[in-house]
Amino acid sequence: MGRSPCCEKAHTNKGAWTKEEDQRLINYIRVHGEGCWRSLPKAAGLLRCGKSCRLRWINYLRPDLKRGNFTEEEDEIIIKLHNLLGNKWSLIAGRLPGRTDNEIKNYWNTHIKRKLISRGIDPQTHRPLNGGTATTTTTVTPTTTNTDASKTAKNICLDFRSSALPLDNKNGFMNDHGSSKFKLTTDHSSAEDTKCSSGTTEESQAPQGPLLLEDQATTPSVMLDLELSIGLPQPKSSISSFSSSAESKVSQGFWAAAAPPQQLTQGAAAVAAAATATGKPVCLCWQLGYKSGQLCRNCDMALQISLKIEDRFQG
DNA sequence: AAGGGGTACAACCGCGTTACG
DNA sequence: TCGTAACGCGGTTGTACCCCT
C-alpha cells in the first residue's frame, strides 16, 4: 500500500524556515558535509524532514549560489536549453553555475514564458504562435514519440566539438566553463551516409524525453550553435577531447529517434554520442563526474543500448 | 488607507530511479 | 534477483509582496 512517508510528519515543522533552522543546517553541513539527508535533521537538531533540509540547502543556503537577477545571456541560454531538453530543469541548471533547478523553473514560468510569447513563440514547443512570424529557423522539439522514425527521415547529428571541457559537477559547480560547441545539424539529403536519424513530432506534446530535432526550415542543413558547456571534470590532463573526426561519426543521431525516453537520460544520450565520437567510453554524467574511462551505471547502460541500436540499424 | 488582483519564489508532494542489503 | 530505503526531480501549492484602484 504505497510508500511509507519519508519522515514522521507529526514531529516535523513545515513552512518557512527560520533563521535559527537555517543556521543549524549550515553549521551541520559545514562540519559533516552534504548527504545522508534522512538522518541529517535528527543529527542537526532540526525538526524537519530530510527532503526539506535538502531542498533548503540546495535551493537557498548553499554558499555557491548566485543570487540576483538573471542576465540577458542567461535568459538566452535557458531558452536554448529548454528548446533542446524540455522541462529538464536540473539539466538546464547544470549548465548555469550558481543557479538551481527550482530557481530556473520559477524564472521560466514567471518571466521567460511571457518573454517568448511576446516574441510570438510558443514557450512549450518553441514554434511560432499561430503560424506567426517568429524568426527562429530551426526548431528543436524533444518528444516522447519515437515510433516509426524511419518514415520521416530528416537527419540529426549531434556534433560535440571541444577541446578541454571542464564539467560542472552538480555539487562542485565548476567555475571556469569551457566553451564547447554543441552543434545540431539537420540534413535531409544523406540519411544513408550519415546514419543520422530522427523521429516524428507531435504538436501537442510537451517537450520531454530524448532529443529530437525537427527541421522546419527549408534549408537542407541548419546548424544551431548553442555554445554549451558539455564537459568533463578534473583532471583536465586526462580529459578526452572530442576529435574533429566526430563530425563524420554521426551515429549519435540514433539517440534522437531510437532511444525510449524511459530508458535514457539526456546525459546518457550524450555519453553514447561521446563514445561514438571518440571510440572510448566517456562518462559525461555530471552527477558523478569523470572516472578515467569508467562509466557510471546510467552511462554504461546508454552505451550498451547505443551499440544494440546501431547493430540493429546496420544489420 | 484598504483591499483586491497579480506576481515571484520558497517549500511541499508524489513518483521514478538508484543504491544497497 | 528481489525488496526496501533513500535520493533526486518535476509539478504544484502556499504565501509574502507589490501595484493599482
Side-chain angles (χ1 to χ4, degrees), chain A residues 15-36:
Chain A
W17 280 64
T18 65
K19 278 197 157 69
E20 189 191 343
E21 286 178 313
D22 283 347
Q23 204 51 54
R24 276 179 188 270
L25 183 56
I26 291 168
N27 290 341
Y28 183 86
I29 291 176
R30 205 171 273 160
V31 174
H32 299 94
E34 291 181 49
C36 299

Side-chain angles (χ1 to χ4, degrees), chain A residues 94 166-174 233 285-290:
Chain A
L167 177 71
D168 61 354
N169 180 310
K170 209 176 180 204
N171 294 320
F173 280 96
M174 77 175 187
C285 180
W286 43 81
Q287 292 178 3
L288 297 177
Y290 180 77

Side-chain angles (χ1 to χ4, degrees), chain A residues 4-255:
Chain A
S4 60
C6 69
C7 52
E8 186 52 61
K9 291 185 188 277
H11 300 103
T12 55
N13 292 339
K14 288 177 78 172
W17 280 64
T18 65
K19 278 197 157 69
E20 189 191 343
E21 286 178 313
D22 283 347
Q23 204 51 54
R24 276 179 188 270
L25 183 56
I26 291 168
N27 290 341
Y28 183 86
I29 291 176
R30 205 171 273 160
V31 174
H32 299 94
E34 291 181 49
C36 299
W37 295 108
R38 193 177 168 89
S39 60
L40 184 150
K42 196 175 178 183
L46 287 163
L47 293 174
R48 291 276 180 175
C49 122
K51 288 175 79 167
S52 180
C53 294
R54 177 180 158 272
L55 258 295
R56 183 64 179 173
W57 174 254
I58 288 174
N59 289 331
Y60 198 81
L61 297 176
R62 217 172 41 187
D64 51 6
L65 288 180
K66 187 198 288 182
R67 312 296 300 182
N69 295 337
F70 282 73
T71 64
E72 201 50 43
E73 190 185 3
E74 285 177 312
D75 280 12
E76 293 307 316
I77 291 171
I78 292 168
I79 291 167
K80 286 174 180 173
L81 287 169
H82 187 271
N83 195 357
L84 269 175
L85 304 172
N87 294 355
K88 300 294 178 189
W89 305 116
S90 63
L91 288 176
I92 294 171
R95 308 261 73 80
L96 290 166
R99 301 296 188 186
T100 69
D101 53 359
N102 205 36
E103 192 179 12
I104 293 169
K105 179 173 60 180
N106 284 329
Y107 187 65
W108 176 269
N109 287 326
T110 55
H111 292 88
I112 299 182
K113 264 187 180 175
R114 216 175 302 156
K115 187 173 176 178
L116 287 177
I117 289 169
S118 73
R119 289 183 188 175
I121 298 171
D122 184 329
Q124 277 306 308
T125 64
H126 294 262
R127 294 179 177 188
L129 285 165
N130 307 321
T133 57
T135 55
T136 50
T137 56
T138 300
T139 301
V140 181
T141 310
T143 181
T144 54
T145 51
N146 299 301
T147 56
D148 210 5
S150 59
K151 286 184 183 172
T152 55
K154 296 172 187 173
N155 304 304
I156 299 163
C157 300
L158 302 183
D159 180 7
F160 297 82
R161 290 190 299 184
S162 168
S163 50
L165 302 170
L167 177 71
D168 61 354
N169 180 310
K170 209 176 180 204
N171 294 320
F173 280 96
M174 77 175 187
N175 294 320
D176 55 335
H177 271 242
S179 177
S180 69
K181 304 255 183 186
F182 179 56
K183 184 180 70 182
L184 291 173
T185 307
T186 61
D187 184 350
H188 297 262
S189 62
S190 56
E192 287 303 313
D193 292 340
T194 64
K195 289 189 236 171
C196 289
S197 59
S198 69
T200 57
T201 301
E202 291 189 7
E203 286 276 344
S204 60
Q205 286 187 313
Q208 57 181 345
L211 178 65
L212 177 74
L213 188 143
E214 175 175 331
D215 182 5
Q216 287 185 307
T218 54
T219 52
S221 181
V222 179
M223 298 230 180
L224 178 59
D225 182 357
L226 292 171
E227 290 286 350
L228 298 187
S229 297
I230 297 179
L232 302 166
Q234 302 299 325
K236 281 190 180 182
S237 59
S238 62
I239 291 169
S240 300
S241 299
F242 295 115
S243 67
S244 59
S245 66
E247 286 182 65
S248 62
K249 305 262 192 171
V250 291
S251 57
Q252 300 95 306
F254 277 100
W255 292 103

